[in-house]
C-alpha cells in the first residue's frame, strides 16, 4: 500500500470475494469481503466528516494505515482461493458464501493471535 496524492492506494484485486490481512507492524487487521476492491475503496475513502461522525471501522482502518505508512510501511495480503480438509476429504471453499469467508477469517485471526500479533479487528478482540 502507498499514499498517492494524499489518498491511500491499495492493490487492484477486482470485485471478487476473499479474505485480507493488513499488516501494520505488530498489529494486524484481518477481514473478509464479498467484493475486495469495494472494501478497499471504503477504506481509501471512508466518507463523512470525522469531526461530526462517530468513528467507524473504515475511518479507523484508514487512519491506522496512513499513520503506519508515514512511519514506515504497511502491507496487505489477499486470499481469494481456499482449500479445506474435513474427514480426510479435500475441497475448495466457495468464498462467495459469507459462512466460508467467516471461517477463513476466524482461522486467520486465531493463527495471528497465537503468533503473538495484536489484532485491530473489533470483532476479533471480543
Amino acid at each position: 500500500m502507498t499514499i498517492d496524492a494524499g489518498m491511500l492506494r491499495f492493490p487492484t484485486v477486482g470485485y471478487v470475494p476473499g479474505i485480507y490481512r493488513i499488516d501494520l507492524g505488530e498489529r494486524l487487521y484481518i477481514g473478509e469481503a464479498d467484493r475486495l476492491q469495494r472494501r478497499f475503496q471504503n477504506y481509501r475513502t471512508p466518507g463523512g466528516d470525522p469531526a461530526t461522525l462517530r468513528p467507524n471501522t473504515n475511518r479507523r482502518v484508514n487512519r491506522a494505515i496512513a499513520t503506519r505508512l508515514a512511519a514506515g510501511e504497511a502491507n496487505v495480503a489477499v486470499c481469494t482461493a481456499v482449500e479445506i480438509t474435513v474427514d480426510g476429504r479435500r475441497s475448495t471453499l466457495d468464498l462467495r458464501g459469507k459462512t466460508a469467508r467467516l471461517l477463513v477469517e476466524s482461522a486467520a485471526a486465531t493463527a495471528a493471535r497465537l503468533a503473538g500479533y495484536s489484532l485491530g479487528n473489533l470483532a476479533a478482540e471480543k
Side-chain angles (χ1 to χ4, degrees), residues 4 8 23 26 29 31 37 48 55 57 73-74 88 94 98 102 117 124:
D4 183 27
L8 294 179
D23 185 343
E26 293 181 14
Y29 184 86
Q37 195 67 38
T57 301
E73 88 177 17
D94 183 354
K98 178 93 172 173
L102 289 174
Y117 286 97

Side-chain angles (χ1 to χ4, degrees), residues 29-101:
Y29 184 86
I30 298 171
E32 58 81 21
D34 60 343
R35 294 181 185 98
L36 287 167
Q37 195 67 38
R38 182 182 67 192
R39 171 73 78 226
F40 292 160
Q41 179 63 28
N42 290 340
Y43 290 150
R44 184 174 184 263
T45 54
D49 180 359
T52 59
L53 296 174
R54 59 180 203 155
N56 71 18
T57 301
N58 293 340
R59 280 194 297 285
R60 187 171 47 82
V61 172
N62 175 287
R63 192 171 31 254
I65 294 168
T67 300
R68 178 65 185 172
L69 283 171
E73 88 177 17
N75 296 296
V76 64
V78 174
C79 173
T80 58
V82 176
E83 286 188 351
I84 188 171
T85 302
V86 178
D87 293 333
R89 290 189 310 216
R90 191 177 204 164
S91 348
T92 301
L93 284 179
D94 183 354
L95 294 178
R96 291 176 296 177
K98 178 93 172 173
T99 305
R101 292 192 313 273

Side-chain angles (χ1 to χ4, degrees), residues 21-30 108 112 117-121:
R21 183 185 73 192
I22 299 171
D23 185 343
L24 304 171
E26 293 181 14
R27 193 163 186 81
L28 298 176
Y29 184 86
I30 298 171
Y117 286 97
S118 172
L119 297 181
N121 307 45

